[in-house]
Structures are given as structure tokens and as C-alpha cells.
Amino acid sequence: MGLGIGLVGLPNVGKSTTFNALTKAQNAESANYPFCTIEPNKAVVPVPDSRLDELAKIVNPERIQYSTLDFVDIAGLVKGASKGEGLGNKFLSNIRETEVILQIVRCFEDENITHVEGSIDPIRDIEIIETELLLADMDALEKRINALSRKAKGNDRDAKAQLEVAQELLKHLENEEPVSTFADRDSDAFKSLLRDLRLLTDKEIIYGANVDEDGLAEDNEYVQSLKEYASKYNREVIKLCAKIEEEMVSFDEDEKQEMLESLGVEESGLDQIIRKGFDKLGLMSYFTAGVKEVRSWTIKKGTTAPKAAAVIHNDFEKGFIRAEVISYEDFIEYGGEAGAKEAGKMRLEGKDYIVQDGDVMHFRFNV
């Protein structure tokens, strides 16, 4: 399952350090996860989920396997990227293939680290990147409008409908508004345009506010302004100190927690980003729990039991009979499968069952 989150940012904002921390998190866990060969610009990292650890305390499995998430390091952005400046075309094509954008924004002063724009201004930095995305979308739409105009002259009904929506959408973009705020999103013509063009400003955006150590416990002026900006578009802001995140990758859980407490925070910014990215992609997890492994399986929210079973193996869907389901809470409360079953907390669910986040499942099938 492709779960791409594209990491973007201007030079010297902490993007590379953040990605390095993600990459080290991937490598640190490689003994426990059957990763395929990973390209240098991709990190496949485990999704933090304390529920798996609690299940393991009961089941005592040989291994624990977490859900994973792909982060793609997208490089080459400069002003003019939409016109091909720098590595602009590569930047834009890479980001088009991801589902969510994580934009690292510098929110700290350091005279030893030069900012490419000469000063610290999170909103300016965001606008540089998002203007390039906007311009790229406008360029893609203009090309599509030209093609649709030719088809519409031949009385192509679908082309006429798409042309009308594309022209309205172009006006919307020219007013410096992203595709995500376009009003007429429910029409078939709009959905068709979006499917074909994969417009950049329609993607979910998470802002990673990169602060120094002092900025972790209390929001500085840069973080405050970033949060005010993000609230206009209903976007998330997650604070992190990229330098510290990179240092903590090699820590065990106790050392990591001690470090976080000394900094006045409860949870690593990187862990928050991974979990929030998982949610923004519309994903959730169900669990299997046996002596061989306790494992988290990744599915889209709203997935039926047979489709969820197919994530384990296609035969599970083809020969699906039923699913035996225990909620995570009941599994923990009653000390495992046997206790939950005895308490009447195991349910038998059929083909129409919508899997819930945290379900502990066992599939019956016959092929």
C-alpha cells in the first residue's frame, strides 16, 4: 500500500535533519520489520502505537510488528520551481505522487545557520512554497483547458462540463486560493479533473514547526504566527526540534522519555508527525495477536472485514466465512482471547462488517 508523505521545505529549515531522523528510525527498527530495499530518498518508519506493547504483555509473542508509513524526501525547491527553476520539475512531479505534504518550517534563530531568504519568517517561507504549488496547478489547468476547449467544440458533453469547472477553478486559483477550498467539489466533472491532474494545492498539509530546545516547552513568536496562519486553512501544526529528534533515535524508550521530560514535553514531535500523517492519509489499524507475533495491519477507514482480511492474504478475502472480533479494550480488560470469549466479548462478524480501529481479529476462510 502506497502511503506517501512528501517532506518539503526551503534550504536550512531543518528538512534534511528531520528526514535523517526518520531514516535512522527506519534503520533502528530494521531488525524487526521485513522492509524491502528502500531508495535513498525514502524512509519507511513504524507508526508508534502503545496498544501493541500492551497486547504483547498478554500474548508474549516472538515479535511485534507495527504499521509503517512512507516519507519521501522531496528536494530541489527554489523560487521559480513551477517554471522549472532548479530541480523544479522533479520537485513537482515527486510531490504529485504523494498524498500528504509535511512542510518543515524554521521557527528558530541561529546566526550560525544562514537562512536562504536572509531572515526568519515562517509565513513568508510557507508562501514561497505554496505559491509555487499554486502556479504549478494553474499551469496544469491552463493546459487542460486548452485541450478541453478543442473537445468541447466537437460537442463532447463531458468535455463541456469539465471545461466549465476548470475555468471556475482557474479563477479560484488566480485569487490565490488553493484547490482544497474550491466550493464545487462534489461534481463528477471536478472529481474527474482532480483524478487526472492530481492537483498539488488539494493535498493535505501538515506544518512541522522546527524550533530550538527552548521553543519546545513554550511557543515562541514564530510558532504562534504559524499556528494563526494554519488555523485559517484548518491545518495541523506539530512542534519538533529536528536536531534533538535525530539525537534521540539511538535512545531506548526510558532514555527517550527522560530526555523529553527534561525538555518539558510529553511526546516526541517526530512520533506526533508519524501518527498524524497516518490519520491524514485516512488510515487505521487492526491487530492480530498470536504467539508468533502481535501485528498491526494497515487499512483505510471504512474497510469491510473481507477487504481487511485481504491485507493479510488475498485467499482470506476469496474464501471469507466470518471474522472473530474482540475490541482492543475488551482484549486488555479480560486478559486475552480466552478471557474475552468467556465474558461474551468475542463477536462473529460477516462480510458487511466495517472494521473498527483497534479490533483484534481472527479470520475464518475456506478456499
Side-chain angles (χ1 to χ4, degrees):
M1 185 183 291
L3 313 176
I5 295 180
L7 210 67
V8 304
L10 295 177
N12 291 343
V13 298
K15 181 175 73 72
S16 295
T17 307
T18 302
F19 186 74
N20 287 342
L22 287 164
T23 304
K24 288 179 180 179
Q26 162 196 298
N27 293 338
E29 302 289 349
S30 61
N32 296 325
Y33 306 103
F35 295 132
C36 301
T37 301
I38 305 301
E39 294 178 346
N41 65 335
K42 182 183 286 187
V44 182
V45 298
V47 178
D49 194 332
S50 60
R51 295 176 298 180
L52 284 166
D53 303 313
E54 294 304 313
L55 291 172
K57 289 177 184 177
I58 295 172
V59 178
N60 194 27
E62 293 177 12
R63 60 181 176 269
I64 301 175
Q65 190 128 319
Y66 296 82
S67 290
T68 60
L69 202 56
D70 290 1
F71 284 85
V72 182
D73 189 18
I74 298 173
L77 178 69
V78 294
K79 283 183 180 178
S82 59
K83 303 300 181 185
E85 293 292 329
L87 297 176
N89 293 329
K90 184 178 190 311
F91 168 86
L92 295 167
S93 64
N94 285 344
I95 202 168
R96 211 177 294 280
E97 296 307 312
T98 63
E99 297 299 321
V100 171
I101 296 170
L102 169 62
Q103 189 173 161
I104 302 300
V105 186
R106 181 168 164 180
C107 295
F108 67 91
E109 299 270 5
D110 189 334
E111 61 184 20
N112 295 316
I113 304 175
T114 305
H115 192 290
V116 68
E117 294 296 319
S119 62
I120 309 303
D121 186 341
I123 309 308
R124 177 204 57 213
D125 292 358
I126 287 171
E127 289 176 344
I128 288 173
I129 289 179
E130 294 183 5
T131 295
E132 295 303 327
L133 301 183
L134 200 73
L135 291 171
D137 280 353
M138 288 168 63
D139 184 56
L141 262 179
E142 286 167 353
K143 289 175 181 175
R144 179 53 58 93
I145 286 170
N146 289 336
L148 289 170
S149 296
R150 291 192 293 270
K151 286 185 178 181
K153 287 177 182 177
N155 290 322
D156 184 318
R157 194 172 296 176
D158 289 339
K160 286 182 177 179
Q162 279 196 41
L163 178 61
E164 185 176 335
V165 172
Q167 289 170 333
E168 287 300 314
L169 183 55
L170 182 59
K171 291 177 185 175
H172 182 77
L173 294 174
E174 287 171 343
N175 287 328
E176 300 183 0
E177 290 291 336
V179 174
S180 59
T181 62
F182 186 61
D184 186 18
R185 300 181 58 84
D186 295 327
S187 69
D188 290 339
F190 174 81
K191 291 174 182 176
S192 181
L193 272 176
L194 203 60
R195 184 173 58 250
D196 293 343
L197 298 180
R198 303 196 62 163
L199 296 169
L200 302 172
T201 60
D202 193 54
K203 296 182 184 295
E204 289 268 13
I205 294 178
I206 301 170
Y207 297 121
N210 186 20
V211 299
D212 55 19
E213 289 186 28
D214 294 336
L216 279 173
E218 188 173 341
D219 291 351
N220 60 32
E221 60 180 301
Y222 301 123
V223 174
Q224 290 171 11
S225 67
L226 177 55
K227 286 183 174 179
E228 287 175 14
Y229 177 90
S231 66
K232 296 177 187 176
Y233 297 99
N234 197 28
R235 292 172 181 164
E236 301 278 349
V237 176
I238 297 175
K239 245 186 342 183
L240 75 156
C241 177
K243 182 180 176 183
I244 289 174
E245 295 289 348
E246 192 176 23
E247 290 174 4
M248 288 195 301
V249 170
S250 60
F251 291 8
D252 63 31
E253 280 305 310
D254 289 340
E255 291 172 329
K256 185 175 175 180
Q257 199 57 43
E258 187 178 337
M259 168 69 90
L260 291 171
E261 288 175 4
S262 72
L263 295 168
V265 294
E266 295 182 0
E267 185 181 15
S268 151
L270 213 57
D271 285 353
Q272 293 179 60
I273 285 170
I274 295 167
R275 285 193 300 96
K276 182 56 65 176
F278 195 73
D279 180 63
K280 289 291 185 184
L281 286 164
L283 302 174
M284 55 176 253
S285 301
Y286 73 87
F287 307 129
T288 53
V291 293
K292 287 289 184 184
E293 69 174 12
V294 165
R295 180 164 182 165
S296 175
W297 299 90
T298 302
I299 56 174
K300 284 280 189 181
K301 294 172 184 176
T303 298
T304 60
K307 291 294 182 184
V311 176
I312 299 176
H313 197 287
N314 287 335
D315 285 348
F316 283 26
E317 179 183 11
K318 292 175 184 175
F320 181 89
I321 298 172
R322 65 177 182 272
E324 297 172 354
V325 185
I326 304 169
S327 72
Y328 166 78
E329 290 78 12
D330 287 339
F331 195 98
I332 298 299
E333 182 177 348
Y334 295 101
E337 182 178 322
K341 191 173 183 179
E342 187 177 334
K345 297 299 183 179
M346 176 184 282
R347 311 187 310 274
L348 299 181
E349 300 288 359
K351 293 182 178 180
D352 295 332
Y353 177 65
I354 304 298
V355 178
Q356 302 299 302
D357 184 52
D359 279 349
V360 182
M361 306 189 74
H362 181 73
F363 297 104
R364 298 294 182 185
F365 70 102
N366 182 28
V367 289

